């Protein structure tokens, strides 16, 4: 680490006592916003609440040390939980922990190789489709808790939503989701009713997490089971963390190392799996809340994780009494706030290819319940539409000079694998002119497919006794031609 980077790292830990105080308080307040969602997302993934809580605690410790974006809050987030749910349902918790470890290793490699630049290929339409699909999946994951239940559950959900949306008009000192949990828990304790509680979902933490290895067979069959889920969790986690880091960059008007954040996230997930936690990623809502309460340094991330575990161990009996209806209400709020509602109106205003990419991302994700698959399809479609658009921008104009019996072809635009065939089709390979002049001043050859198309045109024309002259090749195109088709510039 260079002296400049070391100085910056120290400043991210301690920027003065006033900043330290703000970081500590912001981290503590952020913890209250973290608790309900971590428990709820654990419930979505089909694991005990302690699995999500352990993960969030461990991830906060590791990312405060090794993360690339100070003030980011990461934990057992919904996007990764949705991917993990299918693995838990079919193979159980131990396989999930193994997949979490592998997910972390993939992310570490991703960061060390500085592959974070690949995230630049994720267009805005794909990102919008990603968050919309995430919102739909989060909401659909709540439906089992709203089927075959008594009216009390529906009443509690309605009351919880009312508290969540109306309480901020009264006070914002305490996050409204936390007030929702407090109020509904007190109500169900004072007025017993037939509703499911967190205690019935699974075990809560009783002590600090401890190191252990997943109890699974170490063979290729196991790798074949966990690898697809690990890769999906890694991609989804990286995508959401990069999006969250970008939000923090924008709000704080600072920059961060995305490659380091990828590596830090991988180390955090690796540690989470080894300490009995589920994989996680950056949490946009909690991170924005941390910034709002004044958290800007690494201490706020550390405090959020440590304070989370302290509360869970100390307040375990109280947390066990929380009605699941409160968590459902919170998740409905999360899905509503996550969905990009303006994208519905933009479907008609935005170009059709962009809207189609967004809809395809949503459709594939919702049908497959695989966020990584949706993003992959969206990125591929974006690439295809972009290539098609650039291809249509290529033009070839033709003129004939009778005095010199020369046919002039003027090429403008980008010649590459998608436009190479259209480029070649503009040439009359049985031309009656004595000479052909191909002017590439306004064109650029991008790949060997383009060079091959040009070589094919020139070779066939010369085969018919026509003298061919190439002019206007820019330096990059000329180098490509000299390397892959040196003979076409001769003659």
């Amino acid at each position: 680490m260079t002296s400049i980077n070391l100085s910056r790292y120290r400043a991210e830990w301690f920027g003065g006592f006033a900043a330290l105080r703000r970081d500590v308080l912001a981290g503590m307040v952020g913890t209250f916003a973290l608790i309900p969602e971590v428990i709820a997302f654990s419930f979505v993934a089909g694991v005990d609440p302690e699995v999500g809580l352990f993960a969030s605690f461990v991830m906060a410790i590791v990312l405060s040390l090794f993360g690339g974006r100070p003030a980011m809050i990461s934990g057992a987030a919904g996007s990764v939980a949705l991917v993990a749910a299918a693995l838990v349902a079919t193979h159980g918790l131990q396989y999930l922990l193994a997949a979490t470890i592998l997910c972390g290793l993939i992310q570490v490699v991703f960061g060390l190789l500085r592959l974070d630049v690949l995230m630049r290929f994720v267009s805005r339409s794909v990102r919008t489709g990603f968050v919309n699909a995430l919102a739909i999946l989060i909401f659909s994951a709540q439906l089992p808790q709203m089927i075959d239940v008594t009216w009390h559950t529906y009443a509690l959900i309605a009351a919880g939503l009312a508290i969540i949306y109306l309480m901020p008009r009264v006070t914002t000192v305490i996050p409204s989701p936390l007030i929702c949990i407090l109020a509904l828990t007190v109500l169900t304790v004072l007025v017993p009713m037939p509703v499911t509680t967190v205690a019935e979902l699974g075990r809560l933490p009783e002590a600090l997490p401890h190191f252990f290895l997943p109890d699974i067979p170490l063979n290729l069959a196991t790798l074949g089971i966990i690898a697809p889920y690990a890769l999906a969790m890694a991609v989804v986690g990286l995508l959401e963390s990069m999006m969250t880091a970008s939000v923090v960059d924008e709000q704080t008007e600072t920059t961060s190392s995305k490659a380091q954040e990828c590596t830090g996230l991988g180390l955090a997930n690796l540690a989470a799996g080894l300490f009995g936690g589920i994989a996680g990623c950056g949490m946009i809502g909690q991170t924005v809340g941390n910034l709002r309460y004044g958290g800007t340094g690494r201490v706020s991330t550390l405090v959020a994780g440590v304070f989370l575990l302290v509360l869970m161990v100390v307040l375990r009996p109280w947390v066990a009494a929380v009605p699941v209806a409160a968590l459902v209400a919170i998740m409905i709020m999360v899905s509503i706030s996550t969905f990009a509602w303006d994208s519905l109106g933009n479907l008609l205003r935005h170009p059709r290819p962009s809207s189609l990419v967004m809809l395809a991302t949503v459709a594939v994700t919702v049908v497959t319940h695989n966020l990584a698959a949706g993003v992959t399809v969206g990125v591929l479609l974006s690439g295809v539409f972009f290539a098609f658009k650039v291809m249509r921008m290529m033009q070839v104009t033709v003129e004939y000079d009778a005095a010199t019996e020369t046919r002039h072809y003027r090429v403008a635009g980008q010649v590459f694998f998608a436009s190479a065939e259209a480029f070649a089709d503009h040439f009359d390979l049985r031309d009656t002119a004595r000479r052909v002049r191909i002017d590439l001043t306004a064109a650029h050859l991008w790949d060997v497919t383009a060079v091959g198309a040009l070589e094919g045109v020139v070779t066939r024309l010369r085969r018919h006794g026509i003298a061919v002259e190439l002019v206007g090749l820019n330096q990059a195109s000329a180098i490509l031609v000299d390397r892959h088709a040196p003979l076409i510039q001769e003659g």
Side-chain angles (χ1 to χ4, degrees):
M1 184 178 288
T2 66
S3 59
I4 296 177
N5 290 336
L6 182 59
S7 176
R8 178 177 177 176
Y9 184 75
R10 288 173 178 170
E12 290 171 351
W13 275 104
F14 183 72
F17 287 104
L20 179 63
R21 176 180 173 274
R22 289 195 300 270
D23 278 345
V24 171
L25 292 178
M28 294 175 68
V29 173
T31 301
F32 288 107
L34 192 64
I35 290 173
E37 288 198 26
V38 169
I39 295 177
F41 284 135
S42 299
F43 151 68
V44 168
V47 298
D48 291 338
E50 73 170 7
V51 177
L53 295 168
F54 281 164
S56 301
F57 164 71
V58 172
M59 291 186 69
I61 301 296
V62 175
L63 282 170
S64 67
L65 295 170
F66 302 108
R69 175 65 266 180
M72 254 184 69
I73 303 296
S74 298
S79 54
V80 178
L82 288 166
V83 176
L87 179 59
V88 175
T90 54
H91 293 89
L93 175 62
Q94 296 300 316
Y95 280 83
L96 172 61
L97 299 181
T100 297
I101 294 172
L102 182 57
C103 164
L105 292 174
I106 293 172
Q107 290 171 334
V108 168
V109 172
F110 195 95
L112 293 177
L113 295 180
R114 306 190 69 85
L115 297 178
D116 55 292
V117 295
L118 294 178
M119 292 301 172
R120 298 175 185 175
F121 292 94
V122 181
S123 67
R124 181 179 179 181
S125 299
V126 176
R127 291 196 296 268
T128 302
F130 174 87
V131 298
N132 285 350
L134 175 60
I136 293 171
L137 291 179
I138 290 175
F139 180 82
S140 63
Q142 312 312 309
L143 296 179
Q145 297 300 319
M146 294 186 284
I147 298 175
D148 295 328
V149 295
T150 64
W151 65 268
H152 305 83
T153 298
Y154 296 115
L156 288 178
I157 293 174
L161 289 171
I163 293 172
I164 289 170
Y165 285 107
L166 297 179
M167 190 54 65
R169 299 183 180 182
V170 179
T171 178
T172 57
V173 175
I174 302 176
S176 61
L178 182 62
I179 298 176
C180 165
I181 286 183
L182 287 169
L184 297 189
T185 301
V186 170
L187 177 61
T188 54
V189 169
L190 296 178
V191 184
M193 56 186 72
V195 294
T196 306
T197 63
V198 169
E200 298 174 56
L201 295 181
R203 187 171 54 188
L204 290 169
E206 297 179 355
L208 293 173
H210 62 279
F211 178 88
F212 72 95
L213 294 174
D215 183 18
I216 58 172
L218 299 178
N219 52 42
L220 292 177
T222 299
L223 181 63
I225 293 172
I226 66 173
Y229 294 97
L231 181 59
M233 290 191 294
V235 171
V236 169
L238 287 169
L239 179 63
E240 189 149 345
S241 290
M242 293 303 98
M243 290 170 59
T244 304
S246 297
V247 170
V248 181
D249 289 349
E250 182 177 344
Q251 293 199 4
T252 61
E253 297 183 349
T254 59
T255 59
S256 60
S257 171
K258 302 300 186 295
Q260 184 180 341
E261 183 62 30
C262 294
T263 304
L265 179 64
L267 292 173
N269 280 325
L270 178 60
L274 292 173
F275 281 88
I278 185 177
C281 62
M283 303 179 75
I284 294 179
Q286 282 68 26
T287 297
V288 172
N290 185 43
L291 296 175
R292 185 183 300 119
Y293 291 111
T296 57
R298 294 180 181 272
V299 171
S300 62
T301 304
L302 178 65
V303 170
V306 173
F307 195 52
L308 169 67
L309 191 68
V310 170
L311 286 178
M312 286 300 94
V313 174
V314 174
L315 302 179
R316 180 177 176 276
W318 175 81
V319 174
V322 173
V324 172
L327 305 183
V328 172
I330 293 170
M331 288 296 95
I332 292 176
M333 177 273 293
V334 169
S335 65
I336 292 174
S337 61
T338 299
F339 195 91
W341 294 100
D342 59 340
S343 65
L344 298 179
N346 290 336
L347 285 174
L348 298 178
R349 290 192 292 269
H350 284 177
R352 289 184 179 179
S354 297
S355 298
L356 183 58
V357 167
M358 192 274 284
L359 292 173
T361 303
V362 173
V364 172
T365 301
V366 171
V367 171
T368 63
H369 282 236
N370 188 331
L371 288 155
V375 170
T376 300
V377 170
V379 169
L380 290 176
L381 277 179
S382 296
V384 170
F385 288 141
F386 175 76
F388 184 73
K389 182 177 181 180
V390 174
M391 176 192 73
R392 295 180 63 184
M393 293 172 65
M394 189 206 68
Q395 295 180 343
V396 179
T397 57
V398 185
E399 296 178 0
Y400 181 68
D401 184 353
T404 60
E405 298 184 70
T406 302
R407 187 85 63 187
H408 294 270
Y409 290 89
R410 292 183 175 84
V411 185
Q414 314 304 313
V415 187
F416 63 114
F417 65 89
S419 60
E421 184 176 349
F423 162 80
D425 288 343
H426 281 86
F427 293 86
D428 182 2
L429 299 181
R430 296 187 178 275
D431 203 326
T432 56
R434 294 180 58 188
R435 287 188 292 273
V436 165
R437 189 171 187 267
I438 304 176
D439 187 351
L440 296 161
T441 304
H444 186 92
L445 307 182
W446 283 99
D447 53 21
V448 293
T449 306
V451 173
L454 178 61
E455 182 181 29
V457 168
V458 172
T459 301
R460 287 178 176 82
L461 288 172
R462 287 175 177 168
R463 190 180 298 157
H464 288 89
I466 301 173
V468 180
E469 179 187 10
L470 293 179
V471 297
L473 276 173
N474 59 36
Q475 184 177 5
S477 300
I479 292 174
L480 199 62
V481 169
D482 288 340
R483 182 178 302 167
H484 299 286
L487 297 180
I488 67 174
Q489 296 199 68
E490 299 179 2

